[in-house]
Amino acid sequence: MEFRIEKKTSFNLIGVTKKVPVQFEGVNQSIVELAQSITAQQREEMHEMEDLYPQKALNITDGFSDKWLNEQGYLNHMIGFATSKNNQYSDLEQITVKESDWAIFPVQGEFPKVFQDTMSQIYSEWLPTSNYELMDVPSISFTDFKEGETNLYSEIWLAIKEK
């Protein structure tokens, strides 16, 4: 499994959040509804704030319920951007992420299948055999969506520390 470790200084995540059901396979309709609920004004505000890699819409997840590994319960899902700035808009939320090491997994293939398969491998194979454990920091991912294409590039970011 391809990955790299990067240290990232503290940054903010700015966006719109919704509690959504945990779903391991297929398109999560609640996340689609969240994306569709973002107003033109919110999009403009988020784009004004974005100034950090990858300067693309991010999927940010945290607040998993206890039974999420059994594909039960809910999680908090934010669609937003990474920024060095502080949120100045009342219709957006901010999560401050402390300086951390990140395991970054590049993914190329049929979306969402290959992305979801990689997430499964990370949790079932990579984490148990690595010298790392997850930190209590939201996970981050993005996908380079291209109209009409299914062979897409994504990255999965997990904040880690040595065991």
Side-chain angles (χ1 to χ4, degrees):
M1 177 172 288
E2 184 182 344
F3 71 95
R4 67 185 184 277
I5 306 293
E6 286 186 17
K7 179 175 277 311
K8 295 192 179 287
T9 59
S10 180
F11 61 95
N12 293 318
L13 299 165
I14 307 291
V16 179
T17 304
K18 178 180 180 179
K19 184 173 262 190
V20 301
V22 174
Q23 180 179 326
F24 291 161
E25 293 182 10
V27 175
N28 187 321
Q29 201 56 41
S30 293
I31 295 173
V32 171
E33 291 168 8
L34 170 62
Q36 292 170 343
S37 76
I38 297 172
T39 67
Q41 178 177 324
Q42 288 170 321
R43 286 188 203 302
E44 184 177 315
E45 293 166 353
M46 287 189 281
H47 284 292
E48 285 177 20
M49 302 289 292
E50 70 172 296
D51 65 353
L52 297 176
Y53 177 83
Q55 295 181 308
K56 298 179 183 304
L58 302 174
N59 288 288
I60 301 129
T61 55
D62 73 346
F64 291 91
S65 59
D66 292 341
K67 296 183 179 182
W68 78 273
L69 285 173
N70 296 324
E71 199 173 7
Q72 297 175 354
Y74 293 85
L75 58 90
N76 296 322
H77 191 92
M78 174 188 274
I79 296 176
F81 289 86
T83 183
S84 62
K85 303 171 189 174
N86 284 311
N87 182 22
Q88 59 190 6
Y89 299 106
S90 61
D91 59 346
L92 299 177
E93 296 178 45
Q94 175 175 311
I95 299 170
T96 300
V97 179
K98 62 185 177 184
E99 182 176 308
S100 307
D101 289 329
W102 293 81
I104 300 175
F105 300 85
V107 180
Q108 182 78 42
E110 182 184 346
F111 187 85
K113 183 179 181 350
V114 172
F115 179 92
Q116 291 165 338
D117 289 349
T118 301
M119 285 293 285
S120 176
Q121 284 183 294
I122 291 168
Y123 282 92
S124 66
E125 298 171 22
W126 186 81
L127 267 173
T129 61
S130 74
N131 292 323
Y132 299 103
E133 60 187 8
L134 295 180
M135 296 178 59
D136 188 18
V137 173
S139 64
I140 299 171
S141 66
F142 71 87
T143 300
D144 284 336
F145 287 103
K146 293 182 174 68
E147 192 72 31
E149 291 188 29
T150 57
N151 183 26
L152 302 177
Y153 178 79
S154 302
E155 286 184 5
I156 299 166
W157 301 4
L158 300 173
I160 54 166
K161 62 182 178 184
E162 288 191 26
K163 290 181 184 174

